[in-house]
Amino acid sequence: SVVPVPITLSAPPTVEPAIPRAVEVARLSKVVAARACAYLQGPPGSGKTQLLAALVSGRAGKCAWFSLRDLPSEVVGPMIVGGIRSSVRTCPQVIGESEIEQFCHSVGEDGSLVLDDLPDLATNEGLATLLARIARACDRAGMRLLVSSAHRPSTTLVSQLAESVFGELLVPPFSDEDIGDLFVAYGASRRVLNPKFLAYVAGVSGGNATLLTVMARYLRGRGWTFTDETAQGLFGREYAEQVNHETVKRLVGAVSDDAVRDLLYRLKLFIRSVDLTDIRAVADLAPTITGLDEKLVLIQGVWLQPLAGGRLAVSPLLTQLGEFGLEPDLARRVHAAIADRILSGKTLSLLDAVG
């Protein structure tokens, strides 16, 4: 059952057929069993919501689910406060510990409070402090606070919670095995899922759950037969048209700085991960993009994911857009700069060659 909140009434339904990620659900379950607050961090389209929905469905208690996707940071706190106030029937605009305690007890022991798609806490210390108070109250009430976000938890939040209360998990991309399981769930035969095909799909999609799901639906609609037309739909990104439209809308709404969007439009032409030299190579093309350090801080975590060795992975949702947003001449010059950077590495991967 669900505690009424003004944002949503329940956990969202899982995708059908369900995306099988038993290993990740089990890993998350271990953290939730040990800590009152589990913070799940991953880029857009990585499957955070579905992982949380699968986790909540396996818990015995009630669930209060707040869907916060694309909401500005300044309105999230008041919405959460409004949800708590409506549940405990209190009027104060600023809730105290007693109201939070009442809310937690109304959800009950073994219950879950989910904050899905939380915005960046780095610019909102008040929201981070509110979350810390809720996490401590959840701990005392024997329930769990489950958070998903494209952003890393802020130091303000982490510093206010004991290690025994707070746990952070990164959502990994789909492995080749995950992709195989997903495609089988959508009707594929194991016989057609050879290692080379799965490795190619993993590279093109970046292991992104959203892209893999629409790809599976596209292939299912063609009976899992690999004709020239099917191949053209994959190479030409026909399968991802609706996702691409949604990505552009989200990018324009989330990134107000034209120069930052221009930088992302250039970087999305890289098929592989990038380093600072790669970024400077395309940023230095006319019209030059300056102030890179500040711009990279703004887009890391959502559109660029940090990797080992100082490299960054460009969001697969962006790379699917191709040359969108770039004038033809600039697109040609970006491709040339990328080719120079790839050749400077001397070794070409399959994806480099295809790109």
Side-chain angles (χ1 to χ4, degrees):
S1 58
V2 178
V3 174
V5 292
I7 303 176
T8 57
L9 295 178
S10 64
T14 55
V15 172
E16 293 296 338
I19 300 175
R21 300 200 78 182
V23 172
E24 293 308 317
V25 173
R27 186 169 69 101
L28 180 57
S29 296
K30 289 182 179 178
V31 174
V32 172
R35 291 175 172 82
C37 179
Y39 191 105
L40 194 61
Q41 191 257 324
S46 57
K48 300 183 296 296
T49 298
Q50 293 300 308
L51 281 175
L52 288 180
L55 177 66
V56 167
S57 68
R59 290 179 58 80
K62 294 190 288 186
C63 170
W65 188 292
F66 289 69
S67 287
L68 308 172
R69 180 173 179 175
D70 295 333
L71 293 177
S73 175
E74 61 270 18
V75 307
V76 169
M79 283 187 169
I80 295 173
V81 170
I84 294 175
R85 288 174 57 217
S86 67
S87 296
V88 300
R89 294 178 174 81
T90 187
C91 295
Q93 294 298 316
V94 179
I95 59 172
E97 295 292 336
S98 62
E99 286 81 18
I100 297 176
E101 293 279 1
Q102 289 179 55
F103 171 76
C104 289
H105 287 296
S106 72
V107 177
E109 190 172 359
D110 294 327
S112 304
L113 167 59
V114 180
L115 304 178
D116 189 28
D117 268 318
L118 191 74
D120 193 357
L121 297 177
T123 57
N124 193 330
E125 290 192 3
L127 179 57
T129 297
L130 173 63
L131 258 62
R133 292 165 61 197
I134 293 173
R136 291 192 295 268
C138 287
D139 187 36
R140 291 190 294 270
M143 61 177 287
R144 293 296 182 259
L145 172 62
L146 308 177
V147 180
S148 77
S149 180
H151 307 273
R152 294 291 304 275
S154 68
T155 54
T156 300
L157 173 64
V158 176
S159 65
Q160 295 185 59
L161 295 174
E163 290 184 9
S164 60
V165 173
F166 181 83
E168 179 186 1
L169 280 169
L170 298 178
V171 180
F174 271 48
S175 64
D176 291 3
E177 182 179 355
D178 290 332
I179 296 171
D181 290 341
L182 174 64
F183 282 7
V184 167
Y186 275 84
S189 167
R190 289 282 183 187
R191 291 184 292 103
V192 303
L193 303 178
N194 63 71
K196 288 185 178 179
F197 172 70
L198 291 176
Y200 170 75
V201 169
V204 169
S205 66
N208 184 275
T210 296
L211 291 175
L212 288 167
T213 300
V214 296
M215 187 184 294
R217 290 172 180 163
Y218 175 84
L219 292 171
R220 182 176 64 179
R222 284 147 186 81
W224 291 96
T225 57
F226 294 89
T227 63
D228 290 343
E229 182 183 356
T230 302
Q232 181 59 41
L234 291 177
F235 286 120
R237 303 182 176 93
E238 174 188 328
Y239 74 95
E241 284 182 356
Q242 181 59 35
V243 172
N244 291 345
H245 178 70
E246 293 172 1
T247 299
V248 172
K249 288 180 65 176
R250 187 172 191 181
L251 179 63
V252 172
V255 182
S256 58
D257 189 317
D258 291 343
V260 175
R261 285 203 308 276
D262 185 18
L263 177 61
L264 287 171
Y265 286 150
R266 299 181 189 193
L267 291 176
K268 66 180 166 51
L269 296 186
F270 279 96
I271 299 297
R272 57 174 174 80
S273 62
V274 299
D275 59 20
L276 188 56
T277 304
D278 295 326
I279 295 172
R280 292 194 184 283
V282 297
D284 286 344
L285 299 173
T288 305
I289 300 173
T290 59
L292 281 183
D293 291 342
E294 290 182 353
K295 289 177 173 59
L296 289 176
V297 168
L298 291 175
I299 55 181
Q300 278 194 49
V302 179
W303 305 108
L304 295 176
Q305 289 80 54
L307 301 174
R311 299 189 68 82
L312 295 164
V314 182
S315 168
L317 295 177
L318 287 181
T319 59
Q320 290 293 312
L321 297 178
E323 295 182 357
F324 177 88
L326 295 173
E327 294 295 330
D329 176 64
L330 178 56
R332 285 192 293 270
R333 288 185 286 123
V334 172
H335 279 301
I338 291 172
D340 287 342
R341 291 295 303 145
I342 292 173
L343 291 174
S344 71
K346 298 182 181 180
T347 302
L348 288 179
S349 70
L350 173 62
L351 285 176
D352 287 332
V354 171

